[in-house]
Amino acid sequence: MYLTQALHRLLQRNPDVPLTVCGDRVRTVRESVERTARLAGALRDLGIRPGDRVGILAFNSDRYHEYLMACWWIGAAVNPINIRWAPPEIRYCLEQSGTRCLFVDDAFLPVVDGLRDVLDTVVHCGEQPAPDGLLPYETLLASTDPVEDGRFGGDTLAGVFYTGGTTGFPKGVMLSHANMMVSALGSQACEPIAVAGGRMLHAAPLFHSAALVAWNIQTLVGGTHVFTPSFEPVAVLKAVQDHAVSTSMLPPVMIQLLVDHPDRGAYDLSSFRSFLYGASPMPEALLRRAMAAFPSARFLQAYGMTEVAPVATLLTGADHIEGTRLRSGGRAAPHSEIRIVGADGAELPAGQVGEIAVRGGHVMSGYWNKPDETAEVLRDGWLHTGDGGYLDADGYLYIVDRIKDMIVTGGENVYSTEVENALAQHPAVASCAVIGVPDDIYGERVHAVVVLKPGADTSGGELRDHCKTLIAGYKAPRTTEFVARLPLSPAGKILKRELRKPHWKGRERSVG
């Protein structure tokens, strides 16, 4: 299996249908494959060889699509860079992975000057004229002959995908062509995520593995990729209406912004057939509102992480309709095996909370140049995720927390997601996060950080009383702070370490 394989199938079947839509640019399969082959030739002329890493720092676009395919066409490995990183973080991932060639669009030109000492080549893939010293993307394509697809696949390194943003310093996850194909094909086999011949909207950033697996699935089944540079609610609503979008992958925070947008009703969104969501938990109250807001769409949840390319479990459309397990992450996808283990690595029985472990052909080979960190998580063929959870009697997975996010208060374990689900059911709460903060008596106390809905008003005491009607009293937040917004990663994950910092500065936390 190789990641460019689908292009050859599409070229045989539907060469003249649109493959990419980006603003006013529409490119057919034939045009896109021709451009991919030319870009691959240009990369080869620039000295890129199989196994070399090629980075991109850019918003979503049709050129992002071509970059991915062109790298794989000649056996290079992609390094899609987090668009919200600071320059030192970008420099780190370039240096740590040995990435010497970088694609950059207009938005990130100011970053390039400070990185030139670690780069041999910078390709400008934006709309403005290329600055001095940068190679213009379209000129490269126009001046290079197409080359044959090397059909690199199997265990060939497809990319180094840097994690980070929620738990600490980034690590480069090494994924092969087989890893990425197994995850995409297994996910689609469980239940169609992408509609064959449909149109998938890419608004979540493509550097993120969840967005990338959705892109791969749509390419495999055939259809059109519609790109918006980034997520902006009105732009997304307009793109759905204008291009009859059938599918999109969005994290819960983006879905919430669509559901709550005051102009949502002004757009025709009836073309939606499926919503894939993941990257962070979605409170059940929000999920039910989203299902009501998009009645024509099936909702599917994926649980996983970059290290499993990225899908481990799926909660299907039928599960959502049945409705009793909406807090579950679903059951193991066809390509995935999961179990819950204790601190000694032994498997735990159903209903008992432990660490989630994953096994299968989608599991990474390791972290780039980090053997100790690799050995810590890859043990006896299993990836130890660092997530806490349990399986019910029917094999449905419930994620209770990151192991490091568990709150230990007065000797009792409190899982923040349970408290967040309770808080989210209060009518005044738009979004929330629950963390442990220092407490001189109990060690830690449950602390809520809350964003209120526009015009809503409540108090910490009222929220605590509300939670006590749904969960045990010791789990209810003892303190609450109200904020205008929560710190988010580009994938929409709440950065709890940022919320904890001011509380734990100068103190040691016993968990995590």
Side-chain angles (χ1 to χ4, degrees):
M1 292 183 288
Y2 48 100
L3 287 161
T4 58
Q5 191 168 344
L7 293 183
H8 301 286
R9 174 177 174 269
L10 297 176
L11 197 57
Q12 282 183 337
R13 292 165 60 95
N14 299 299
D16 298 316
V17 302
L19 181 59
T20 64
V21 176
C22 184
D24 295 330
R25 286 198 303 266
V26 179
R27 303 201 193 279
T28 66
V29 170
R30 191 191 311 276
E31 291 169 332
S32 184
V33 174
E34 168 78 7
R35 288 170 60 83
T36 293
R38 287 185 179 276
L39 182 57
L43 288 172
R44 183 176 293 176
D45 290 346
L46 290 170
I48 303 299
R49 296 294 179 260
D52 288 349
R53 279 74 61 206
V54 180
I56 187 168
L57 181 61
F59 287 120
N60 297 348
S61 73
D62 50 352
R63 290 171 182 153
Y64 208 122
H65 166 99
E66 293 163 1
Y67 147 84
L68 292 167
M69 288 298 190
C71 288
W72 295 328
W73 200 268
I74 59 169
V78 300
N79 177 10
I81 297 170
N82 188 321
I83 56 177
R84 290 182 62 181
W85 273 352
E89 294 168 303
I90 296 169
R91 171 180 285 271
Y92 170 81
C93 88
L94 293 173
E95 290 186 311
Q96 203 267 339
S97 64
T99 298
R100 303 292 300 179
C101 177
L102 178 69
F103 284 67
V104 62
D105 68 7
D106 299 327
F108 300 99
L109 287 175
V111 179
V112 172
D113 285 343
L115 300 171
R116 295 307 300 269
D117 61 312
V118 298
L119 295 168
D120 293 331
T121 306
V122 180
V123 178
H124 175 244
C125 58
E127 305 300 328
Q128 302 172 7
D132 291 342
L134 274 62
L135 300 175
Y137 186 96
E138 294 298 334
T139 300
L140 281 178
L141 265 66
S143 60
T144 308
D145 292 330
V147 297
E148 286 293 321
D149 186 0
R151 290 175 167 80
F152 294 86
D155 292 333
T156 300
L157 181 67
V160 182
F161 301 89
Y162 278 83
T163 67
T166 60
T167 59
F169 214 55
K171 299 183 289 289
V173 174
M174 295 186 290
L175 296 179
S176 68
H177 284 248
N179 291 153
M180 296 177 70
M181 289 289 277
V182 164
S183 193
L185 291 170
S187 300
Q188 183 72 3
C190 180
E191 180 171 349
I193 292 170
V195 177
R199 296 192 162 202
M200 177 173 282
L201 176 66
H202 301 287
L206 279 169
F207 75 80
H208 193 272
S209 58
L212 204 55
V213 75
W215 168 85
N216 192 18
I217 290 170
Q218 188 67 69
T219 305
L220 287 168
V221 303
T224 304
H225 299 284
V226 179
F227 298 96
T228 60
S230 58
F231 180 85
E232 194 285 315
V234 171
V236 168
L237 294 169
K238 188 175 187 303
V240 173
Q241 176 176 271
D242 291 351
H243 300 291
V245 166
S246 51
T247 309
S248 191
M249 181 277 149
L250 294 173
V253 65
M254 295 182 185
I255 293 176
Q256 179 173 354
L257 289 170
L258 294 180
V259 170
D260 292 340
H261 198 278
D263 295 334
R264 173 173 53 83
Y267 295 88
D268 180 2
L269 309 176
S270 61
S271 60
F272 258 129
R273 292 295 173 266
S274 63
F275 252 125
L276 176 66
Y277 66 95
S280 63
M282 187 187 298
E284 183 175 346
L286 171 59
L287 179 54
R288 290 190 181 278
R289 287 197 294 124
M291 292 167 65
F294 298 97
S296 64
R298 291 177 299 111
F299 279 74
L300 302 98
Q301 180 189 171
Y303 161 74
M305 56 194 58
T306 306
E307 287 88 339
V308 296
V311 179
T313 68
L314 286 163
L315 189 71
T316 67
D319 291 326
H320 283 77
I321 293 170
E322 192 273 337
T324 61
R325 292 184 170 98
L326 294 182
R327 294 184 183 177
S328 166
R331 294 193 276 195
H335 59 279
S336 180
E337 185 180 357
I338 60 171
R339 68 180 184 181
I340 307 298
V341 298
D344 59 357
E347 187 169 5
L348 298 176
Q352 190 165 335
V353 173
E355 184 178 14
I356 302 165
V358 183
R359 185 172 186 153
H362 56 321
V363 173
M364 69 168 184
S365 59
Y367 297 118
W368 182 271
N369 283 343
K370 288 186 178 289
D372 293 341
E373 289 87 342
T374 298
E376 184 180 344
V377 299
L378 289 179
R379 306 196 297 272
D380 300 322
W382 291 87
L383 173 80
H384 292 253
T385 65
D387 286 338
Y390 66 91
L391 293 169
D392 70 11
D394 297 314
Y396 283 85
L397 176 67
Y398 290 80
I399 299 94
V400 297
D401 223 335
R402 289 290 296 173
I403 295 295
K404 293 183 178 182
D405 286 344
M406 185 178 70
I407 303 163
V408 182
T409 179
E412 298 284 355
N413 293 342
V414 176
Y415 298 104
S416 62
T417 52
E418 184 180 11
V419 187
E420 288 159 358
N421 273 316
L423 281 168
Q425 295 181 53
H426 190 282
V429 173
S431 58
C432 62
V434 170
I435 58 173
V437 300
D439 188 275
D440 291 336
I441 298 175
Y442 296 100
E444 285 185 289
R445 69 176 180 272
V446 181
H447 179 75
V449 185
V450 174
V451 178
L452 296 177
K453 293 178 182 177
D457 186 37
T458 187
S459 66
E462 182 180 324
L463 291 177
R464 178 175 170 80
D465 291 342
H466 161 79
C467 288
K468 285 182 175 180
T469 68
L470 300 170
I471 55 178
Y474 72 88
K475 300 177 183 179
R478 292 182 56 222
T479 51
T480 302
E481 63 181 294
F482 296 95
V483 298
R485 63 185 63 84
L486 295 170
L488 301 174
S489 77
K493 295 182 181 181
I494 296 171
L495 299 175
K496 290 190 176 181
R497 61 185 172 87
E498 296 299 322
L499 295 175
R500 281 194 290 261
K501 272 182 183 178
H503 299 280
W504 288 94
K505 189 174 181 179
R507 303 182 64 159
E508 175 110 10
R509 187 166 184 257
S510 59
V511 178

